[in-house]
């Protein structure tokens, strides 16, 4: 989100009046208003990107959700079983072209491709059980408008609840 738009939102007292009315602080404290808290957050924010991790139990549809939300076709591997063993970032394409980059834990050069099946070979537990291929993470560069404004979604491996 650009600075002008953030400043417009921070001046919108109606938005923050709704927040004050409906969002409970839980402890009844007289802490600064939501508007003041958010103003301080945005004034001090220095991150060039905002990461949105997608975390959940194995097989709950994290990749399916991200495919439906951000892609025009199935890019992230999906399966009825636990699928991904490697985090995958979905970020705005710097040049407007779809691209995939697979980065490794060691000094091997990254694999660059536009083929989702290559991504699946590296991040799917079916083709890379327990990450035997030593993949650190993957990056999918795409042009969806939700990726504008520094948003980076991260499809994380499923959490096993025992």
């Amino acid at each position: 989100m650009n600075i002008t738009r953030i400043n417009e939102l921070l001046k919108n007292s109606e938005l923050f009046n709704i927040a004050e009315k409906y969002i409970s602080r839980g402890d009844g404290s007289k802490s600064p208003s939501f508007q003041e808290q958010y103003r301080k957050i945005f004034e001090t924010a220095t991150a060039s990107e905002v990461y949105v991790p997608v975390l959940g139990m194995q097989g709950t549809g994290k990749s399916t959700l991200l495919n439906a939300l951000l892609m025009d076709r199935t890019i992230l591997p999906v399966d009825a079983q636990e699928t991904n063993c490697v985090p995958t970032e979905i970020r705005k394409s710097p040049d407007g072209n779809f691209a995939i980059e697979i980065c490794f834990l060691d000094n091997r050069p990254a694999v660059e491709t536009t083929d989702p099946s290559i991504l699946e070979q590296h991040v799917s537990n079916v083709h890379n059980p327990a990450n035997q291929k030593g993949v650190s993470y993957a990056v999918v560069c795409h042009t969806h408008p939700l990726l504008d404004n520094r948003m980076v979604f991260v499809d994380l491996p499923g959490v096993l609840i025992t």
Side-chain angles (χ1 to χ4, degrees), residues 1 10 20 33 57 64 67 73 77-78 94 99 106 117 129 136 138 158:
M1 184 170 284
L10 290 173
E20 295 290 342
S33 70
M57 293 177 16
T64 301
N67 276 326
R73 58 191 168 116
V78 294
D106 56 21
S117 69
S136 177

Side-chain angles (χ1 to χ4, degrees), residues 1-12 15 149:
M1 184 170 284
N2 69 39
I3 296 299
T4 303
R5 183 69 180 130
I6 290 171
N7 285 329
E8 288 173 15
L9 287 173
L10 290 173
K11 292 176 185 175
N12 185 339
L15 172 70
N149 307 320

